[in-house]
Amino acid sequence: MFINSLAAFFAFTSFISPIETGLILLVTAYSIYILTPAKTKNYPDFNSLTKNDSSSIYMYIQSAWLGRQSLTSAFFPFFIIFNSALLYADYRSSNGTYSIASWLTILVILALPVFWWTISVWRCSIHANRLWASAARFFTVAVYYEYILRLIIGYYYPQIWFNCQQLIMEIGDCI
């Protein structure tokens, strides 16, 4: 996350500076930490909620959505899959085998799982320490920042990652 998109913005555009980016991320992290509740006894016992919910992938998805998984089991699998998909799409686009439309299609395909992941992490974070819950919530919000940066690249700066002479499939892809 932010590996290729921020590096491209800093190197090839003057759209945003590293200081502005750092300030935005710090304000976001602080806001999320303030809004994350401390672990209290008002929530149901975590051990009573987790009853062999990982018997199938569908039960895992449902139990994570309902907040019945631990934070690590709700956060890390999708975080790894999401970042791997983004790195793969960036690798394919840098080699000239993905067009702008294909690259944006990956973002559309990942949009609904990102929504599920955000809700799952938010609900499962009540079982974790405030610091770890804040960190997990920050990374879910950072995914939306990543989406915004990638959409800006796709629509306003496609020449950064795409060879416009080879990849013009639609009128106006690389203007």
Side-chain angles (χ1 to χ4, degrees):
M1 198 167 28
F2 294 128
I3 295 170
N4 294 328
S5 58
L6 277 181
F9 266 89
F10 295 155
F12 298 111
T13 69
S14 61
F15 183 78
I16 193 166
S17 72
I19 294 172
E20 294 168 338
T21 304
L23 185 64
I24 290 169
L25 292 176
L26 281 174
V27 167
T28 302
Y30 180 71
S31 301
I32 289 172
Y33 182 76
I34 294 298
L35 295 173
T36 302
K39 188 175 179 181
T40 63
K41 298 292 181 185
N42 296 341
Y43 298 113
D45 184 25
F46 176 67
N47 294 326
S48 68
L49 293 175
T50 56
K51 302 176 200 151
N52 197 9
D53 286 333
S54 60
S55 60
S56 71
I57 188 72
Y58 301 110
M59 293 305 293
Y60 164 76
I61 290 171
Q62 181 187 21
S63 64
W65 175 264
L66 295 173
R68 294 181 179 161
Q69 292 287 332
S70 67
L71 182 60
T72 56
S73 65
F75 176 76
F76 282 111
F78 186 75
F79 183 73
I80 292 168
I81 291 169
F82 177 77
N83 284 314
S84 300
L86 290 182
L87 287 173
Y88 178 72
D90 293 345
Y91 170 75
R92 294 283 306 264
S93 65
S94 67
N95 285 339
T97 56
Y98 263 12
S99 65
I100 298 168
S102 300
W103 186 73
L104 290 173
T105 302
I106 295 293
L107 296 179
V108 172
I109 290 170
L110 291 173
L112 189 59
V114 164
F115 177 71
W116 167 84
W117 182 57
T118 304
I119 299 297
S120 297
V121 166
W122 234 259
R123 290 180 178 170
C124 291
S125 67
I126 64 171
H127 307 298
N129 184 350
R130 184 177 184 186
L131 181 66
W132 293 114
S134 299
R137 288 178 175 194
F138 171 73
F139 281 115
T140 58
V141 171
V143 166
Y144 293 100
Y145 288 157
E146 176 77 14
Y147 262 85
I148 291 169
L149 288 175
R150 288 177 177 272
L151 290 175
I152 290 171
I153 288 173
Y155 288 112
Y156 297 111
Y157 302 109
Q159 67 276 8
I160 292 174
W161 280 336
F162 304 100
N163 184 353
C164 293
Q165 288 78 23
Q166 294 177 355
L167 295 177
I168 293 182
M169 306 231 175
E170 297 177 15
I171 297 175
D173 263 356
C174 290
I175 295 179

